[in-house]
Amino acid sequence: MKAEQRKNRNRMIERFIQGLLMIVLIVLTIFMMIDVNKIQGNARVINYAGIIRGATQREIKLEISGNANNSLIRYLDDIFDGLMHGGGKYQLTKIDDQKYQNKLAKLNKAWVSLKEEIQKVRENGYENTNIINMSEDYFYLADETVTAAENYSQHCASQLNSIEKGLIVTSTLIVCVIIRETILAIVLMKRNKELNKLAYIDLHTGLPNRSRVEELVGEYNHFDQPSAMIVFDLNDLKEVNDSLGHVAGDTLIMNFADIIRTSIPDKHFVGRYGGDEFIALLTNVTKDEVEEIITSVQNEAKRYNEFSKQIHLDFAYGYDLSTSYQEANLKVLLNQADKNMYDCKTRMKQARKG
């Protein structure tokens, strides 16, 4: 009787420990997801803060040379709005760090003053203004703001590293407890593992991942309305990784994903199909509308290259239409679009050599 009571008590203790460890695991996973989201948002903030630094210097040079550029000023205003308040035209993250916010507030105040000085340059000529000294001070302040954002991002990365270690320790303890459980618990654990593998979101880009794309391809056995499949592929990603490191390559992938998603209407599906390959499924579209969307992506990439002083972004694409076939499924369109993309890539390489 006492042995049975001791056994039941030990079982209750084991279940309590297992439940506690599971709670710790869930909490750590939530924190990890929050940190991953922060790091992704921070990377975009760092990128656009760098654009502010470079684009403002370009604006000053244009104003000094007598070439007023109000569109560039509006572009910088939109970025500042997103950095200061979050969201905005470029869907930027508001970094929750006091040092960075203080630097950003000073930078924004300096930008307001700089715009006032630009107006004086237009009215009186730059020789009669303090535009050059102000722009130099602004540049150093912008540099400090970028550094503050980078420091905060590094802090988030360190937190993520600690969380990952905590996850490893917690997971190991859970495995030790689960070993003593019944076969049912082992089966349940395997099912949970399989469910985790079926996660449909690519954490790096925030787009549906390859699993979701493959599931989508399997769902479309026929088309009820005119549809199109576009395949996009980044050029020279390997060279970027080899010369500048994988962090630069990852940033390029993330920026390209953002360009595609923001250029294509939300009603259409956009997903990451591979390392540097993305697909878009467009429904109820004509050939002209497909080409307009591709042009929109090209224009946004061109705009990115104009204002970003970092890595040049270039891509190949291919598409196919369901109306080209009497009867077809999505897999047929994907294969043909992929082939057309490689043909495009080949033509681009030949054009470079020529």
Side-chain angles (χ1 to χ4, degrees):
M1 187 68 177
K2 289 183 178 180
E4 185 67 24
Q5 289 178 344
R6 190 181 301 111
K7 185 178 180 180
N8 290 336
R9 184 179 63 186
N10 290 339
R11 188 176 299 165
M12 289 180 63
I13 293 173
E14 286 179 4
R15 289 179 178 176
F16 173 78
I17 293 174
Q18 185 177 2
L20 182 62
L21 289 173
M22 288 300 297
I23 291 173
V24 172
L25 180 65
I26 292 171
V27 171
L28 287 175
T29 302
I30 292 173
F31 279 123
M32 183 185 72
M33 294 176 66
I34 293 173
D35 244 28
V36 168
N37 188 57
K38 280 184 179 180
I39 290 172
Q40 290 178 341
N42 294 345
R44 297 194 71 235
V45 167
I46 292 170
N47 182 39
Y48 275 91
I51 290 175
I52 279 180
R53 180 174 53 188
T56 304
Q57 293 301 304
R58 183 167 181 263
E59 169 63 17
I60 298 303
K61 291 178 181 178
L62 288 172
E63 295 292 342
I64 289 176
S65 62
N67 297 306
N69 192 332
N70 290 324
S71 62
L72 184 54
I73 291 177
R74 287 192 297 270
Y75 174 64
L76 288 165
D77 284 338
D78 288 338
I79 295 178
F80 266 112
D81 179 64
L83 293 175
M84 294 287 293
H85 308 105
K89 183 176 181 180
Y90 301 101
Q91 292 299 302
L92 299 176
T93 300
K94 183 178 180 180
I95 292 182
D96 186 20
D97 179 71
Q98 194 59 48
K99 289 184 179 179
Y100 165 77
Q101 288 297 331
N102 290 340
K103 293 292 184 182
L104 182 60
K106 291 180 181 178
L107 184 63
N108 185 57
K109 185 177 180 180
W111 169 239
V112 172
S113 299
L114 202 56
K115 287 193 294 184
E116 294 174 354
E117 200 69 14
I118 287 172
Q119 188 60 39
K120 293 179 181 179
V121 169
R122 294 178 180 181
E123 294 172 356
N124 306 316
Y126 82 92
E127 300 90 348
N128 301 313
T129 66
N130 196 31
I131 190 72
I132 294 178
N133 291 333
M134 289 178 67
S135 66
E136 289 178 354
D137 293 339
Y138 177 91
F139 179 82
Y140 289 121
L141 189 54
D143 196 48
E144 291 175 357
T145 305
V146 173
T147 301
E150 290 172 340
N151 290 340
Y152 178 71
S153 183
Q154 183 59 45
H155 172 70
C156 291
S158 299
Q159 282 186 333
L160 182 61
N161 184 52
S162 299
I163 292 172
E164 288 176 346
K165 291 178 180 178
L167 280 170
I168 293 172
V169 172
T170 305
S171 300
T172 302
L173 292 174
I174 289 175
V175 170
C176 292
V177 173
I178 290 177
I179 290 175
R180 303 184 61 182
E181 289 296 313
T182 62
I183 296 176
L184 183 60
I186 296 174
V187 172
L188 182 60
M189 181 183 68
K190 289 182 178 179
R191 287 178 180 174
N192 287 336
K193 187 176 181 180
E194 290 173 359
L195 287 174
N196 288 333
K197 289 181 179 179
L198 292 176
Y200 287 144
I201 298 299
D202 175 42
L203 290 178
H204 185 60
T205 62
L207 296 177
N209 62 13
R210 187 183 183 92
S211 295
R212 178 65 187 111
V213 172
E214 290 177 343
E215 183 183 82
L216 187 69
V217 171
E219 292 173 352
Y220 271 76
N221 294 319
H222 66 282
F223 297 97
D224 296 325
Q225 52 190 350
S227 301
M229 173 65 77
I230 310 176
V231 176
F232 299 95
D233 190 270
L234 269 173
N235 291 332
D236 305 322
L237 180 62
K238 184 178 184 302
E239 286 76 2
V240 172
N241 286 332
D242 291 343
S243 60
L244 300 176
H246 286 279
V247 173
D250 289 345
T251 301
L252 187 64
I253 289 173
M254 185 176 64
N255 288 334
F256 186 45
D258 184 59
I259 286 172
I260 296 174
R261 182 63 279 180
T262 55
S263 300
I264 297 177
D266 292 338
K267 65 180 180 179
H268 300 306
F269 177 88
V270 175
R272 186 180 182 185
Y273 191 52
D276 55 359
E277 195 169 22
F278 298 83
I279 68 109
L281 173 61
L282 314 180
T283 55
N284 195 23
V285 291
T286 64
K287 181 178 180 181
D288 289 341
E289 289 172 331
V290 174
E291 292 181 349
E292 285 177 6
I293 287 175
I294 292 173
T295 300
S296 177
V297 176
Q298 290 173 326
N299 289 339
E300 193 62 28
K302 182 179 179 181
R303 183 181 181 86
Y304 170 85
N305 288 329
E306 286 177 354
F307 294 114
S308 174
K309 302 302 180 182
Q310 301 177 358
I311 309 163
H312 183 77
L313 190 153
D314 191 28
F315 67 92
Y317 69 89
Y319 71 90
D320 196 25
L321 302 165
S322 64
T323 52
S324 301
Y325 306 89
Q326 188 172 2
E327 188 174 338
N329 55 36
L330 191 56
K331 187 174 183 180
V332 172
L333 261 64
L334 176 60
N335 291 339
Q336 187 59 45
D338 196 52
K339 180 180 181 299
N340 293 341
M341 180 275 293
Y342 279 106
D343 290 343
C344 174
K345 189 178 284 286
T346 299
R347 290 193 300 271
M348 294 176 75
K349 288 181 179 179
Q350 291 174 348
R352 290 180 185 176
K353 292 179 181 179

